[in-house]
């Protein structure tokens, strides 16, 4: 359930909840909201993402100046991507400059983003700002903040368990031989072999 | 957006919400440009025919966002927001309902939550305006103090408490709002503020309490609010746990008498807090450590009562064998006595907090919180500081200090980087150094360990004095002050590192801003309480030495200038006190570097008592054992008349230091005594002494008595001679001082008696005033041996000096013997 909620599989979470009788840790409608917010950022509609986030919980952006700055930075990037230089400059002056005054730590990042305006083909160090990876990064940051506001972890516990399992196996590998867990099937190494042996040859 | 003339509709409110969320400047701009906004918004919070639940919710969201910005506080309070919020919450609660019976509220949970959250944020702003930030010096805020005090007074009245404390009830419908109310409680700072909350009862219980009880009913110790906060801890909701843990620690810190209830009635809750200090979430762990720290800091002093009062805590899992929180006994006073073994609870808190502070993956703000909690834990408590050091806290903090980006005050690019340091890093720097100062202040051994760290951290602390962030400079001053308490460290490590020059430079620079320009920092008395909705932000700049405005190349970037900050100035002055003492090899720097006029200006500052006190403290140390030329130089700058005024200062801390300075002026050489008495006037000195004795303040009286001791032979050479020895009020006060539990005061008093008799003054008066009898009591051990413990206590605490203090001091015994001889001499 934790994995389905955090990763945003609303329908699967609903079905799992119904069939297993488990109570979901959050209202499942918020999963859909989170997905919509993430999608809005991924398609570059930052206004929509901000409005939806404020609708969901007005404290998320008000209590997280860094996240809010990154969303505004993403808006500036979208202006630049669309070639709206005048709009970009106006937006930076009215919305981003005050953030720099309030938190000088943002100034360098703001300057770096504004540098995009100077190049048709931005240099390597700032080019990634225009990439899809930047949108994904912003979306992930906002997603994590929303999850935290709902008392949810930033990532599914399952991922942590998998990492711990891999680490544990690596540690054991140095000391002894034992049947490994095959992560693709969820079976132990020996069981995989047995299953393969038992399979009828075609 | 045009100013609304009618109440805003839902679309307008949503647009406003999106416009201001995340942007403090937009919030301020909105309130400035639309003065009618709040008057039209606030009525929407209360139920009415026109205010739909959706409209009310959105209005609450807009207000909640405004309440997060300190700049908006004056506007919010002047619109009567606090009262409106209370009324809106009150009308959302069921009438005459019992909160314990989980009543259904009349408003939707989301609206209740939004209203409660707004109120909590507003209380946070008000308490910050009144008392400063909870941890660290924070941004200066001296606007809205008077209005905040008034609003807070209203908030803590019974009808107001009735409108929001019931939300702490265990009802699921009010759970989210209850979390906000717990946060609200955690924002309060003083016992005066928390007492009404602790005393509050639901109306039904108030009625039954008024009717009287039969005496056998089970009584909930600690009050209803504590009970509900404890209940919140039992649930699994993380935010509720954090809020209630912080609220409980606030109540425990402000109300020490609450601690024993956690060893009795609330013992299971103490166990729960202990368990939460090992929770998965680091934020919960830190919050639990705050509550445990409050319990540790306010444990009852006597081991016997600890055994009784906190027995249950002593049996908490994992710490029973170590004596629980009652493990502390003697040695607590900070002497050189043996340090008792640490309690399991203390070790648990230390390990948890150190784990959080050391974890580099953790957020800076949370690590800083861990440092602040550690700072509270070891502050002014030598045994806890020593135990913390044994568990590696000193090493942890030094490692953290070394991990920060380096500071090079001479490199412009380094300074540029420092200006742009993220707030969490700044807070962590400040918290780390403050924790270091708290840790090393109570123990000379710990100070030596810090000074001898390899690789040395002194260069980092030294460089931090130049950091543009006031909080970092302030914390660095605190560490320097702590270290300079050890003469050996002051004379070697600190002088070698050049710290004294930097501290002096800091004092001169921080104080260069003219007072009328408004020093940064809150708490300045007098004009400009700051409640005006002024447009200016008072950001006068302090120009550093050698920084020239002119002569800059065209297009060259203007260097950012560090603002002066009163709180840093006070901390730097406190550090300078030790460097100005006679044992300091850099004492000569003060006159050489033209610091005296600045220090005199601080010492005579008409509007700032703390500045006066710190300024005069430095000068007092400077003139101790100095030659008359230096003394005269200081007094010429200050003026004797102004100095006499300081000796009558209404702030007793200033008066104490001024009288102490009289002592130092009239010391060392007979000529100095004569010059001082002549300059001040014998009659004036006597008047000052009599006024000081009337204050009944130990420190003021002690210094006044030493003024008499130092000036006495000279004092009576004036014509007409004074009649201090005949003053019944003075003699009565002198007798009281001889019986004072404070040893320094007894020493001062016996020396005055000796000086009077040596000058053949007032033997008969002293006899008649009962002083001879008192001196004879002090003479030998026969009095002590003949008294029981209770009897000794009746002697004003002298009995507590058993084995040491006045009676064991050879010098004092000698004086008592001489005084007795004088009395016996026909």
């Amino acid at each position: 359930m934790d994995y389905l909620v955090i990763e945003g599989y609303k329908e699967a979470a609903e079905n799992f909840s119904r069939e297993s009788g488990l109570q979901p840790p959050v209202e499942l409608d918020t999963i859909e909201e989170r997905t919509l917010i993430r999608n809005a950022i991924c398609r570059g509609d930052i206004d929509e993402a901000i409005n939806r986030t404020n609708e969901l919980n007005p404290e998320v952006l008000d209590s997280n100046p860094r996240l809010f700055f990154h969303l505004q930075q993403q808006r500036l990037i979208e202006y630049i991507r669309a070639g709206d230089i005048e709009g970009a400059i106006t937006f930076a002056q009215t919305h981003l400059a005050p953030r720099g005054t309030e938190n000088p730590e943002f100034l360098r990042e703001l300057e770096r983003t504004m540098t995009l305006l100077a190049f048709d083909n931005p240099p390597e160090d700032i080019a990634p700002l225009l990439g899809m990876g930047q949108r994904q990064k912003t979306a992930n940051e906002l997603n994590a903040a929303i999850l935290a506001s709902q008392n949810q972890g930033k990532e599914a516990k399952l991922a942590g368990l998998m990492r711990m399992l891999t680490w544990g196996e690596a540690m054991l590998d140095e000391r002894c031989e034992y049947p490994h867990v095959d992560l693709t099937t969820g079976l132990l190494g020996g069981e995989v072999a047995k299953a393969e042996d038992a399979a009828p040859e075609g | 957006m045009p100013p609304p003339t009618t109440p805003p509709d839902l679309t307008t409110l949503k647009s406003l919400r999106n416009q201001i969320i995340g942007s403090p400047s937009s919030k301020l701009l909105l309130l400035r440009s639309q003065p009618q906004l709040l008057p039209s918004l606030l009525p929407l919070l209360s139920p009415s025919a026109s205010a739909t639940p959706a409209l009310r919710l959105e209005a609450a969201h807009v207000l909640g966002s405004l309440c997060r910005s300190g700049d908006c506080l004056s506007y919010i309070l002047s619109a009567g927001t606090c009262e409106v919020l209370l009324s809106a919450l009150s009308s959302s609660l069921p009438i005459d309902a019992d909160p314990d019976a989980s009543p259904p509220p009349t408003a939707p949970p989301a609206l209740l939550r939004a209203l409660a959250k707004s109120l909590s944020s507003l209380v946070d702003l008000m308490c910050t305006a009144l008392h400063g930030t909870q941890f660290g010096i924070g941004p200066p805020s001296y606007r809205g103090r008077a209005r905040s005090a008034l609003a807070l007074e209203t908030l803590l009245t019974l009808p107001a408490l009735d409108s929001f404390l019931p939300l702490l009830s265990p009802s699921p419908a009010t759970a989210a709002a209850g979390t906000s109310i717990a946060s609200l409680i955690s924002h309060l700072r003083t016992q005066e503020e928390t007492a009404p909350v602790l005393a509050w009862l639901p109306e039904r219980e108030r009625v039954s309490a008024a009717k009287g009880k039969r005496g056998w009913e089970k009584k909930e110790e600690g009050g209803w609010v504590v009970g509900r906060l404890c209940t919140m801890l039992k649930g699994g909701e993380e935010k509720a746990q954090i809020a209630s843990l912080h609220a409980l620690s606030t109540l425990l810190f402000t109300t020490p008498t609450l601690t024993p209830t956690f060893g009795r009635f609330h013992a299971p809750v103490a166990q729960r807090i202990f368990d939460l200090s090992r929770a998965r979430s680091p934020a919960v762990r830190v919050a639990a450590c705050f509550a445990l720290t409050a319990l540790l800091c306010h444990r009852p002093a006597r081991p016997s009562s600890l055994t009784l009062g906190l027995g249950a805590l002593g049996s908490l899992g994992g710490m029973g064998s170590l004596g629980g929180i009652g493990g502390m006994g003697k040695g607590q006073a900070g002497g050189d006595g043996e340090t008792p073994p640490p309690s399991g609870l203390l070790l648990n808190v230390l390990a948890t907090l150190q784990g959080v502070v050391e974890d580099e993956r953790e957020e800076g703000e949370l690590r800083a919180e861990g440092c602040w909690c550690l700072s509270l834990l070891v502050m002014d408590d030598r045994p806890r500081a020593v135990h913390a050091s044994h568990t590696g806290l000193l090493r942890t903090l030094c490692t953290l200090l070394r991990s920060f980006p380096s500071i090079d005050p001479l490199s412009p690019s380094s300074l540029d980087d420092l200006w742009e340091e993220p707030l969490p890093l700044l807070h962590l720097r400040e918290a780390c150094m403050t924790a270091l100062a708290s840790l090393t202040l109570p123990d000379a051994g710990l100070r030596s360990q810090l000074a001898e760290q390899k690789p040395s951290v002194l260069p980092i602390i030294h460089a931090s004095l130049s950091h543009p962030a006031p909080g970092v400079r302030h914390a660095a001053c605190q560490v320097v002050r702590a270290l300079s308490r050890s003469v050996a460290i002051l004379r070697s490590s600190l002088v070698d590192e050049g710290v004294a020059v930097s501290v002096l430079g800091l004092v001169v620079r921080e104080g260069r801003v003219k007072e009328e320009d408004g020093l940064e920092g809150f708490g300045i008395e007098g004009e400009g309480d700051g409640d005006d909705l002024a447009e200016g932000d008072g950001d006068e700049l302090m120009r550093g030495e050698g920084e020239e405005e002119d002569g800059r190349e065209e297009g060259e970037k203007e260097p950012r200038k560090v603002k002066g900050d009163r709180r840093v100035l006070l901390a730097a002055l406190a550090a300078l006190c030790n460097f100005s003492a006679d044992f300091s090899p850099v004492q000569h720097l003060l006159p050489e570097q033209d610091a005296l006029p600045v220090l005199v200006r601080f010492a005579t500052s008409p509007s700032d008592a703390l500045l006066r006190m710190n300024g005069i403290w430095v000068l007092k140390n400077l003139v101790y054992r100095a030659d008359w030329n230096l003394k005269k130089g200081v007094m010429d700058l200050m003026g004797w008349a102004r100095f006499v005024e300081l000796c009558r200062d209404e702030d007793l801390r200033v008066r104490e230091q001024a009288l102490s300075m009289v002592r130092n002026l009239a010391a060392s050489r007979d000529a100095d005594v004569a010059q001082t008495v002549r300059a001040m006037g014998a009659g004036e000195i006597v008047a000052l002494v009599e006024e000081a004795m009337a204050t009944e303040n130990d420190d003021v009286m002690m210094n006044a008595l030493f003024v008499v001791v130092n000036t006495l032979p000279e004092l009576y050479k004036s014509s007409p001679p004074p009649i201090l020895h005949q003053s019944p009020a003075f003699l009565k006060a002198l007798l009281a001082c001889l019986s004072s539990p404070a040893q320094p005061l007894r020493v001062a008093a016996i020396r005055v008696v000796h000086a009077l008799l040596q000058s053949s003054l007032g033997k008969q008066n002293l006899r008649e005033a009962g002083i001879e009898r008192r001196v004879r009591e002090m003479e030998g051990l026969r009095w002590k041996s003949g008294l029981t413990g209770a009897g000794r206590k009746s002697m004003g605490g002298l009995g507590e000096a058993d084995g040491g203090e006045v009676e064991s001091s050879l010098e004092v015994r000698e004086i008592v013997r001489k005084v007795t001889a004088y009395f016996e001499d026909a």
Side-chain angles (χ1 to χ4, degrees):
Chain A
M1 179 62 84
D2 175 71
Y3 174 80
L4 296 174
V5 167
I6 288 181
E7 293 301 317
Y9 298 111
K10 186 198 171 196
E11 211 171 312
E14 276 173 347
N15 290 336
F16 185 64
S17 171
R18 195 169 45 247
E19 288 172 19
S20 65
L22 277 177
Q23 197 65 26
V26 292
E27 282 181 38
L28 292 178
D29 284 346
T30 63
I31 299 180
E32 192 172 12
E33 264 315 300
R34 221 158 22 87
T35 312
L36 290 172
I37 290 168
R38 183 191 272 271
N39 292 344
I41 295 180
C42 288
R43 66 170 185 272
D45 191 349
I46 311 302
D47 267 346
E48 169 78 359
I50 290 177
N51 292 348
R52 281 188 177 279
T53 307
N54 289 340
E55 198 73 43
L56 188 63
N57 184 349
E59 283 169 45
V60 173
L61 298 182
D62 231 356
S63 59
N64 198 334
R66 175 174 284 273
L67 169 63
F68 187 66
F69 171 78
H70 286 152
L71 283 167
Q72 300 286 46
Q73 181 193 25
Q74 192 63 48
R75 269 172 92 175
L76 176 64
I77 292 169
E78 299 307 334
Y79 272 112
I80 296 170
R81 193 199 308 277
D84 185 356
I85 305 303
E86 202 176 319
I89 292 172
T90 310
F91 178 76
Q93 283 172 340
T94 52
H95 288 89
L96 275 164
R99 301 292 83 73
T101 314
E102 288 152 11
N103 287 297
E105 62 175 298
F106 301 145
L107 284 174
R108 199 155 291 185
E109 226 169 324
L110 176 57
E111 281 172 4
R112 193 164 153 257
T113 314
M114 291 299 282
T115 314
L116 288 171
L117 289 169
F119 298 97
D120 284 333
N121 292 312
E124 272 181 22
D125 60 329
I126 55 168
L129 288 175
L130 286 170
M132 288 301 118
Q134 182 67 21
R135 283 182 178 172
Q136 196 63 43
K137 202 172 132 190
T138 311
N140 287 346
E141 193 182 350
L142 179 54
N143 190 52
I146 295 171
L147 283 169
S149 74
Q150 295 168 346
N151 283 332
Q152 297 294 305
K154 286 178 189 170
E155 70 168 10
K157 287 172 188 148
L158 197 56
L161 279 174
M162 287 297 115
R163 272 201 301 274
M164 193 185 285
L165 177 69
T166 315
W167 177 83
E169 285 191 337
M171 297 301 287
L172 272 175
D173 282 345
E174 295 170 9
R175 290 169 176 78
C176 60
E177 284 188 10
Y178 64 97
H180 286 71
V181 176
D182 184 338
L183 293 179
T184 53
T185 61
L187 298 172
L188 286 173
E191 291 170 3
V192 174
K194 276 183 207 164
E196 279 171 359
D197 289 346
E201 290 185 14
Chain B
M1 190 175 293
T5 48
T6 51
D9 58 18
L10 193 59
T11 314
T12 311
L13 285 175
K14 281 182 190 286
S15 163
L16 276 176
R17 180 198 68 192
N18 292 334
Q19 183 188 330
I20 61 172
I21 279 182
S23 172
S25 52
S26 300
K27 293 172 193 180
L28 185 59
L29 191 67
L30 181 71
L31 292 182
R32 273 184 185 163
S33 61
Q34 296 191 20
Q36 283 308 307
L37 177 72
L38 281 174
S40 60
L41 183 77
L42 293 178
L44 296 179
L45 297 175
S46 300
S48 67
S50 59
T52 61
L55 201 62
R56 291 178 70 195
L57 178 64
E58 218 46 70
H61 282 158
V62 171
L63 186 65
S65 181
L66 291 171
C67 285
R68 298 182 77 99
S69 171
D71 293 335
C72 299
L73 179 62
S74 295
Y75 292 91
I76 293 169
L77 289 178
S78 60
T81 306
C82 191
E83 292 78 358
V84 175
L85 272 173
L86 289 169
S87 155
L89 278 166
S90 177
S91 57
S92 303
L93 293 171
I95 300 163
D96 291 336
D98 178 4
D100 288 325
S102 307
T106 59
L111 176 60
L112 269 183
R113 179 181 178 277
L115 290 171
K117 181 69 197 165
S118 298
L119 187 65
S120 171
S121 301
L122 181 56
V123 171
D124 187 15
L125 290 186
M126 294 193 302
C127 289
T128 304
L130 269 174
H131 308 292
T133 48
Q134 205 148 17
F135 298 113
I137 63 171
S141 60
Y142 45 93
R143 294 220 167 101
R145 296 187 73 204
R147 279 202 185 98
S148 294
L150 276 174
L152 205 56
E153 208 172 297
T154 308
L155 185 95
L156 296 171
T157 57
L158 191 60
L161 294 173
D162 281 346
S163 60
F164 64 89
L165 285 180
L167 290 169
L168 287 171
S169 72
S171 158
T174 59
T179 302
S180 294
I181 299 305
S183 292
L184 182 155
I185 295 169
S186 73
H187 298 316
L188 304 174
R189 307 289 174 81
T190 64
Q191 189 168 11
E192 290 73 33
E193 289 165 5
T194 53
V197 174
L198 277 171
W200 187 84
L201 285 172
E203 201 171 347
R204 189 169 295 176
E205 287 190 32
R206 279 205 296 271
V207 172
S208 60
K211 281 180 187 167
K213 293 200 173 189
R214 286 173 292 278
W216 46 262
E217 300 96 327
K218 193 179 177 188
K219 194 182 163 194
E220 188 170 39
E221 290 185 32
W224 187 88
V225 169
V226 172
R228 296 296 79 72
L229 291 171
C230 292
T231 308
M232 282 171 78
L233 284 183
K234 292 173 190 161
E237 221 266 325
E238 196 179 301
K239 282 195 168 60
Q241 285 175 348
I242 293 172
S244 57
L245 283 167
H246 281 304
L248 281 173
S249 54
T250 295
L251 296 175
L252 283 163
F253 269 120
T254 54
T255 318
T257 50
L258 199 57
T259 305
T261 65
F262 282 79
R264 294 191 299 255
F265 190 84
H266 292 304
V269 179
Q271 177 68 57
R272 174 73 177 144
I273 298 173
F274 182 76
D275 293 341
L276 287 174
S277 73
R278 295 163 168 184
R280 187 174 161 192
S281 155
V284 174
R285 288 205 297 273
V286 171
C289 283
F290 269 108
L292 294 176
T293 298
L295 288 172
L296 280 163
C297 290
H298 289 308
R299 73 208 176 280
R302 289 172 188 275
S304 55
S305 63
L306 274 173
T307 317
L308 292 170
L310 292 160
L313 269 181
S315 65
L316 286 179
M319 56 188 189
S321 61
L322 290 164
I325 68 173
M328 219 65 80
K330 61 182 178 181
Q332 185 191 339
D336 295 327
E338 208 173 296
T339 307
S343 66
L345 183 54
L346 175 63
L347 292 176
N348 173 68
V349 172
L350 283 168
T352 304
L353 291 173
Q354 276 177 245
V356 172
V357 170
E358 283 169 4
D359 190 350
E360 290 175 8
R361 295 163 305 171
E362 209 44 77
E363 287 176 12
E365 292 290 4
L366 194 68
R367 294 172 81 193
E369 257 191 64
C371 288
W372 290 119
C373 190
L374 283 164
S375 188
L376 285 172
L377 186 65
V378 299
M379 192 181 287
D380 299 329
D381 190 288
R382 185 180 165 276
R384 282 203 294 269
V386 170
H387 292 315
S389 177
H390 287 164
T391 61
L393 179 58
L394 187 63
R395 195 180 55 241
T396 298
L397 293 173
C398 288
T399 307
L400 178 59
L401 200 55
R402 289 188 201 101
S403 72
F404 296 142
S406 62
I407 302 169
D408 179 2
L410 300 175
S411 153
S413 66
S414 164
L415 282 175
D416 255 3
D417 290 344
L418 295 177
W419 275 105
E420 290 165 16
E421 276 193 348
L423 277 179
L425 175 59
L426 293 177
H427 292 163
L428 190 54
R429 277 187 190 272
E430 182 183 5
C432 172
M433 283 193 286
T434 307
L436 264 181
S438 300
L439 180 67
T440 53
L441 198 68
D443 187 78
L446 292 178
R447 293 198 284 273
S448 300
Q449 283 179 37
L450 176 59
E452 290 159 10
Q453 284 286 312
K454 300 285 180 214
S456 175
V457 292
L458 284 182
I460 304 172
I461 295 162
H462 183 192
S464 300
L465 291 169
S466 311
H467 199 289
V472 178
R473 295 201 301 281
H474 183 269
C477 286
Q478 301 283 14
V479 187
V480 171
R481 175 176 164 246
L483 286 174
S484 64
R485 285 182 115 193
S486 291
V487 178
I489 298 174
L490 186 150
R491 295 168 73 106
S492 55
S493 310
L494 291 179
V495 170
D496 295 346
E497 179 59 39
V499 173
V501 181
S502 300
V503 171
L504 184 57
L506 198 59
V507 166
V508 173
R509 284 200 309 278
E510 299 278 345
R512 194 163 285 173
V513 181
K514 288 180 191 164
E515 193 167 331
E516 57 269 26
D517 290 342
L519 283 168
E520 292 277 338
F522 82 97
I524 297 179
E525 306 161 26
E527 62 181 80
D529 177 54
D531 276 10
D532 300 333
L533 306 179
E535 300 257 333
D537 59 2
D539 59 346
E540 286 76 14
L541 298 173
M542 180 180 69
R543 196 158 299 136
E545 222 167 344
E547 287 179 87
E548 293 294 333
E549 203 164 1
D550 299 323
R552 197 177 304 122
E553 295 289 325
E554 200 176 333
E556 196 179 328
K557 200 174 167 185
E558 187 181 347
R560 285 179 275 200
K561 298 185 182 76
V562 178
K563 283 183 184 180
D565 191 297
R566 170 181 171 272
R567 298 155 307 171
V568 180
L569 174 60
L570 291 174
L573 280 170
L576 192 64
C577 280
N578 292 333
F579 289 107
S580 64
D582 66 311
F583 53 76
S584 163
V586 288
Q587 191 192 35
H588 60 90
L589 286 176
L590 273 73
E592 279 174 18
Q593 302 212 349
D594 272 344
L596 296 186
V598 181
L599 291 170
V600 167
R601 180 157 67 82
F602 296 154
T604 54
S605 163
S607 60
D608 193 334
L610 272 177
L611 199 55
R612 284 200 298 281
M613 182 192 77
N614 281 285
I616 205 156
W617 201 320
V618 177
L619 292 173
K620 170 197 93 169
N621 284 357
L622 183 68
V623 297
Y624 180 65
R625 292 187 181 169
D627 63 41
W628 182 253
N629 282 340
L630 179 58
K631 291 178 180 176
K632 183 173 181 302
V634 171
M635 296 316 296
D636 284 349
L637 283 168
M638 188 182 294
W640 287 97
R642 180 71 188 97
F643 179 58
V644 169
E645 282 174 31
L646 291 174
C647 295
R648 288 201 170 92
D649 202 288
E650 61 184 28
D651 190 300
L652 293 183
R653 295 165 302 177
V654 177
R655 201 190 291 206
E656 175 201 340
Q657 294 308 319
L659 288 168
S660 178
M661 188 158 161
V662 179
R663 283 172 64 186
N664 292 353
L665 288 167
S668 306
R669 288 163 292 271
D670 289 344
D672 289 10
V673 180
Q675 299 264 32
T676 306
V677 172
R678 195 176 313 135
M680 293 184 74
E684 193 72 271
I685 291 177
V686 168
L688 289 175
V689 169
E690 286 184 313
E691 287 167 35
M693 299 307 283
T695 63
E696 296 184 5
N697 175 291
D698 281 4
D699 297 319
V700 172
M701 288 195 295
M702 183 195 71
N703 279 294
L705 290 174
F706 274 118
V707 167
V708 177
V709 173
N710 284 16
T711 58
L712 197 54
E714 194 62 37
L715 209 55
Y716 276 74
K717 288 180 187 168
S718 64
S719 178
I723 49 166
L724 185 66
H725 61 286
Q726 295 171 11
S727 159
F730 174 75
L731 292 173
K732 189 180 169 195
L734 186 63
L735 177 64
C737 291
L738 285 169
S739 301
S740 165
Q743 185 220 344
L745 192 54
R746 292 199 302 274
V747 173
I750 191 70
R751 292 192 61 177
V752 167
V753 177
H754 178 249
L756 283 170
L757 292 173
Q758 201 174 26
S759 306
S760 306
L761 288 165
K763 188 192 281 187
Q764 193 54 35
N765 304 93
L766 293 171
R767 274 199 178 124
E768 287 167 7
I771 287 174
E772 182 187 6
R773 183 177 177 279
R774 181 74 201 96
V775 171
R776 288 185 186 281
E777 284 173 0
M778 293 169 75
E779 187 185 3
L781 294 173
R782 61 194 162 91
W783 269 89
K784 287 202 297 181
S785 60
L787 287 172
T788 61
R792 285 177 202 159
K793 270 187 196 160
S794 69
M795 288 166 57
L798 244 189
E800 289 177 15
D802 282 0
E805 319 232 323
V806 176
E807 287 75 9
S808 69
S809 158
L810 286 176
E811 185 200 351
V812 176
R813 264 205 232 154
E814 186 65 16
I815 301 172
V816 170
R817 196 183 57 74
K818 283 180 185 170
V819 167
T820 315
Y822 274 119
F823 276 123
E824 284 169 0
D825 188 2

